[in-house]
Amino acid sequence: MQLKTKPKPIRKTLAMATATLLGHVTHIGTANAESNPWEIDTAVMSYQENGRVSVLEPVIRMREDKGDDKFFTLKLVVDTLSGASPNGAIPTNSPQTFSGPSGSSSYPIAANTVPLDPNFHDTRYAINAEWEQPAGDARHSIYGLSFSTETDYQSLGASATYNFDFNNKNTTLTTGASFSGDSVQPLGGKPVAFAVVPASTGGGGGGGEDEGGGGGETSFHVNKRVVDLLLGVTQVMGRKDLIQLNFNYGKESGYLNDPYKLLSVVDNTGALITAVAPDSPYIYEKRPDSRNRTALYSRWSHQFGSDVLRLSYRYYSDSWGIRSNTLDMHYRLELGERFFLEPHLRSYKQTAADFYHTSLLNTEVATLDYASADYRLADMTTKTVGLKFGWLVGKHSEAGIRVETITQQAQPSRVIGIQSQQDLLPTVKATMVQLNYRFLF
Amino acid sequence: MTRHRSWQPWLVLFFSLGIFTVAHADDLPNLSLQTKQGGLHLNELRGQVVYLDFWASWCVPCRKSFPWMNDMHQRYSKDGLKIVAINLDKEVNLAKQFLTEYPANFTVAYDPEGLSAEKFKVQAMPSSYLIDRQGKLHSTHLGFKEKDTAAMEAAIKSLLAK
Amino acid sequence: MLLRSIYKTSVLLALLALSACSFQPVQPWERDILAQKKMQLEPYPLDAALDEHTYFSKEASRGGAGVGGGGCGCN
């Protein structure tokens, strides 16, 4: 009893015609049939800061549908960074000279210029594997392993996530935990916190260790541990609404300093001051060796007609005194059946860490427990404006290009005397361009 | 099981009395469905083993179930297996588009309102209900997994043999 | 001003979350729209991962969206 079917070409034409009439029928998202078990997602991102670092980052993510709701995902990332990064010292009205992190080279900084260490060249390789499987009725688990390596940093991590569905899958409870053990090998040894940075000898100076005058911490290998716990609820709010609320607690411990960041020591006129004649007016930073952080995160996806709005908000707070608010918005505007435009806006604002000091008074050095001049720990805002153009190339492939500008503005914790003549923390502008291509086979 | 052998007069009697209809019919609601061939009433299929499937074009495992259902249809329809796959797409055109890619040799019915799914309290997509020759529900199945197909086929065979 | 808009949004999201108690449950066969890729919370995981990596390197906050991933000594 075969069903009577019209000749195929006509049926196909009709189907295509009706699909066109309906519009916006995107199949790629769900078209992972047994004939196409692999989903390959590739991207290359270029990130360029004005006069500072640039990053080129290709990524490939391969996801295999193993059948029966089991999935294997492998992600490979290469992250090539080069350029100049602020070393933490303040700009002054006279030229400055710094020894490089490895002690092998020194670099001069012109007067009235933010000191940037030009020696940042590193390539990071990261691999991430995930296994997802059902864990009984209405629940599934995801296990992940990650490893990354760069010249002075290795990270090995594991994670597990369990999802429980309730209420006809209208509610999902998520619990997750991750651990990572990181190893840091600062170039030139681990600098002694608060030790005076050796004066630059024009190219031959030693590294931070030993000569720092502190306790002779010559270890070339220090550790950092990161634990994260997550509890979340995802709720279907209607046919066109999905909302998620997550609570995330994290604890970092071990070596949390940035070994390449300095602090400028100044007198009460704001000018650099050297304690002992041959030494430099710069000291190494020191951060607490633990950090507890909590984040409350919520996101919402809503469909308007065929367009989709995605909104997320995060409140973050940690034991270093940093509080931040992040608001993120994507609006996917469908342009016919095959194209879309997606504007992206992101607004971020953080308060400074308790121990953030743009510069230190020489009288403070002995009294403070911790200090860092890393602008990323300052009062800061980040604004992102971006646009993505997406193209559904075929039934099983999709391409995209994304361009974003990122503007960061940090505020000095204090401006002492003549420092008011300087732009201590100039605006950082960056441009990001990303190409995407995704296909099934 | 004489009760079942003569189910039609009994049903007529229950209907005419206006009582017991809910209590009878072995808890399975009757369905009046629209197919390409016209109306189809579930209770008219008594005497056959019915594999009732609920599906939609956007449902990923549904794609995998179609070749299997074609296979079952081809092998067992002559023995009295009737596969009825009820599509629950709100837009029937999406179902038809799906069927051009995953053709069905078995009976496809359309229920854009989802009334049949509501009556059967469908819990997942796809869901299937295996009904014996007496119109009694044998088993329900949530989702479609390759590893379950052998057991499902065995159940079909055992009901056909009764 | 930024803070005000942020608070407004958080209040909105909180209200949405609360109204979850009174929402119309979506039946399994009514998930056509929710099944679309673009309606997923993270429709483009690579975009999200790259963004996360960038902001992790440039800001002091992290976490919230999920667990996993890896560390880096980012500058």
Side-chain angles (χ1 to χ4, degrees):
Chain A
M1 49 169 279
Q2 288 271 331
L3 288 180
K4 271 270 166 259
T5 53
K6 289 174 194 168
K8 226 176 181 174
I10 296 169
R11 274 184 57 175
K12 235 174 195 153
T13 317
L14 280 173
M16 280 162 78
T18 50
T20 312
L21 283 172
L22 286 162
H24 321 307
V25 180
T26 312
H27 263 301
I28 186 157
T30 49
N32 209 355
E34 74 280 9
S35 50
N36 304 102
W38 282 94
E39 176 191 340
I40 312 290
D41 204 352
T42 61
V44 57
M45 183 197 79
S46 149
Y47 170 92
Q48 190 91 42
E49 281 176 4
N50 267 359
R52 296 193 180 180
V53 296
S54 60
V55 176
L56 190 69
E57 190 167 347
V59 194
I60 183 166
R61 179 178 178 270
M62 296 166 282
R63 184 172 158 92
E64 188 189 8
D65 184 345
K66 307 283 268 185
D68 296 343
D69 298 327
K70 291 177 186 153
F71 298 92
F72 173 68
T73 309
L74 190 69
K75 191 171 86 172
L76 303 168
V77 184
V78 180
D79 176 6
T80 309
L81 179 137
S82 61
S85 187
N87 68 7
I90 54 169
T92 59
N93 54 16
S94 54
Q96 306 180 68
T97 307
F98 299 91
S99 52
S102 62
S104 56
S105 61
S106 69
Y107 53 93
I109 297 295
N112 308 316
T113 306
V114 172
L116 301 177
D117 183 337
N119 300 313
F120 281 91
H121 300 281
D122 205 353
T123 302
R124 175 174 170 267
Y125 302 91
I127 182 167
N128 208 307
E130 259 179 24
W131 175 254
E132 180 176 344
Q133 65 172 42
D137 260 0
R139 54 187 68 181
H140 68 277
S141 45
I142 306 163
Y143 303 100
L145 281 176
S146 63
F147 176 72
S148 76
T149 181
E150 56 203 287
T151 310
D152 55 354
Y153 204 97
Q154 279 78 44
S155 172
L156 183 63
S159 66
T161 305
Y162 291 91
N163 292 299
F164 308 84
D165 296 328
F166 298 103
N167 190 8
N168 265 347
K169 281 194 168 183
N170 282 307
T171 309
T172 303
L173 200 66
T174 303
T175 58
S178 70
F179 172 81
S180 98
D182 299 0
S183 165
V184 195
Q185 306 94 43
L187 299 174
K190 176 190 163 192
V192 175
F194 283 169
V196 175
V197 178
S200 169
T201 53
E209 86 281 25
D210 292 338
E211 290 156 277
E217 291 182 62
T218 53
S219 170
F220 279 70
H221 158 96
V222 278
N223 293 315
K224 173 180 171 182
R225 289 163 301 280
V226 183
V227 177
D228 269 280
L229 300 171
L230 185 112
L231 193 64
V233 186
T234 308
Q235 179 67 48
V236 170
M237 307 282 294
R239 272 183 74 213
K240 298 181 163 194
D241 284 289
L242 191 59
I243 192 167
Q244 185 178 55
L245 269 172
N246 286 344
F247 175 76
N248 177 203
Y249 169 78
K251 184 175 175 68
E252 300 168 17
S253 52
Y255 186 75
L256 304 180
N257 293 346
D258 185 325
Y260 312 123
K261 291 280 189 272
L262 319 174
L263 285 132
S264 301
V265 180
V266 298
D267 61 23
N268 54 17
T269 68
L272 293 174
I273 183 166
T274 303
V276 188
D279 282 339
S280 73
Y282 315 108
I283 61 171
Y284 289 108
E285 68 156 41
K286 184 182 181 188
R287 306 181 188 194
D289 59 8
S290 80
R291 181 189 202 181
N292 297 307
R293 48 184 165 72
T294 52
L296 203 59
Y297 178 83
S298 60
R299 52 181 160 183
W300 176 40
S301 291
H302 176 77
Q303 193 155 131
F304 290 100
S306 53
D307 296 349
V308 179
L309 171 74
R310 284 189 293 129
L311 206 59
S312 79
Y313 166 73
R314 175 181 67 179
Y315 176 74
Y316 168 94
S317 116
D318 70 22
S319 58
W320 288 1
I322 294 160
R323 310 274 178 271
S324 75
N325 289 286
T326 316
L327 192 60
D328 194 273
M329 191 210 81
H330 293 264
Y331 190 86
R332 173 166 165 147
L333 183 72
E334 297 288 346
L335 303 173
E337 207 186 327
R338 298 172 74 87
F339 304 101
F340 69 88
L341 265 185
E342 187 172 289
H344 175 209
L345 293 174
R346 183 180 183 273
S347 179
Y348 173 83
K349 186 173 170 61
Q350 76 178 36
T351 62
D354 299 333
F355 53 86
Y356 170 76
H357 299 278
T358 309
S359 64
L360 278 187
L361 285 167
N362 56 343
T363 52
E364 288 172 330
V365 177
T367 63
L368 290 173
D369 291 327
Y370 309 107
S372 171
D374 187 342
Y375 82 94
R376 296 172 296 185
L377 299 174
D379 260 313
M380 186 173 70
T381 59
T382 311
K383 305 267 185 204
T384 306
V385 179
L387 189 65
K388 179 172 178 170
F389 176 72
W391 175 27
L392 309 181
V393 183
K395 193 169 165 305
H396 293 314
S397 61
E398 178 177 342
I401 177 165
R402 187 159 77 112
V403 180
E404 309 212 317
T405 64
I406 301 165
T407 310
Q408 277 198 301
Q409 182 63 62
Q411 301 300 327
S413 57
R414 183 172 53 176
V415 181
I416 307 167
I418 57 168
Q419 291 175 2
S420 60
Q421 299 159 16
Q422 302 292 335
D423 186 1
L424 295 172
L425 296 166
T427 307
V428 182
K429 288 197 165 131
T431 306
M432 188 275 266
V433 180
Q434 187 193 321
L435 300 173
N436 279 31
Y437 187 66
R438 181 173 167 275
F439 59 99
L440 305 178
F441 81 83
Chain B
M1 294 300 242
T2 46
R3 182 170 64 102
H4 291 291
R5 218 171 286 153
S6 52
W7 61 269
Q8 252 170 330
W10 278 111
L11 196 70
V12 170
L13 178 64
F14 287 143
F15 268 115
S16 58
L17 290 173
I19 45 168
F20 299 132
T21 44
V22 177
H24 191 261
D26 297 302
D27 304 317
L28 269 194
N30 188 23
L31 295 178
S32 297
L33 298 163
Q34 284 307 311
T35 73
K36 262 191 159 172
Q37 290 75 37
L40 172 76
H41 298 279
L42 189 60
N43 58 9
E44 288 167 3
L45 300 175
R46 279 204 196 168
Q48 297 184 76
V49 171
V50 178
Y51 184 88
L52 190 66
D53 179 72
F54 291 90
W55 67 282
S57 66
W58 47 265
C59 148
V60 179
C62 295
R63 290 151 209 260
K64 300 182 183 182
S65 71
F66 268 59
W68 181 80
M69 288 194 289
N70 276 335
D71 186 35
M72 291 300 104
H73 173 77
Q74 195 200 331
R75 283 155 65 189
Y76 301 113
S77 61
K78 61 181 186 303
D79 303 326
L81 174 67
K82 174 78 175 175
I83 298 181
V84 179
I86 304 177
N87 173 264
L88 300 168
D89 273 287
K90 300 222 185 259
E91 297 285 346
V92 170
N93 286 322
L94 295 177
K96 293 188 169 158
Q97 191 186 0
F98 177 99
L99 290 170
T100 61
E101 288 171 63
Y102 304 92
N105 299 327
F106 43 86
T107 303
V108 175
Y110 299 93
D111 179 12
E113 304 286 312
L115 298 174
S116 59
E118 226 160 272
K119 279 188 183 173
F120 271 75
K121 299 187 170 60
V122 167
Q123 300 286 309
M125 292 295 281
S127 277
S128 63
Y129 295 76
L130 188 58
I131 303 164
D132 68 16
R133 291 186 196 272
Q134 286 76 40
K136 195 177 159 199
L137 180 66
H138 171 269
S139 54
T140 65
H141 202 90
L142 304 185
F144 182 82
K145 296 188 172 85
E146 294 290 345
K147 66 173 161 88
D148 297 341
T149 54
M152 283 155 73
E153 183 173 354
I156 288 170
K157 280 165 85 172
S158 79
L159 289 189
L160 286 170
K162 275 185 193 168
Chain C
M1 231 185 57
L2 172 81
L3 273 177
R4 199 168 302 155
S5 65
I6 282 167
Y7 282 129
K8 268 187 204 160
T9 313
S10 54
V11 167
L12 180 79
L13 283 167
L15 285 176
L16 274 168
L18 286 174
S19 68
C21 310
S22 60
F23 76 108
Q24 195 69 27
V26 174
Q27 301 290 358
W29 58 91
E30 296 176 325
R31 293 179 159 262
D32 47 349
I33 292 167
L34 291 165
Q36 292 171 4
K37 186 169 104 81
K38 63 182 178 184
M39 268 303 281
Q40 304 313 297
L41 292 169
E42 209 75 274
Y44 293 93
L46 285 192
D47 293 18
L50 286 166
D51 279 357
E52 197 183 9
H53 185 57
T54 299
Y55 296 116
F56 172 77
S57 313
K58 295 287 149 193
E59 296 170 347
S61 312
R62 67 183 285 196
V67 297
C72 74
C74 300
N75 292 285

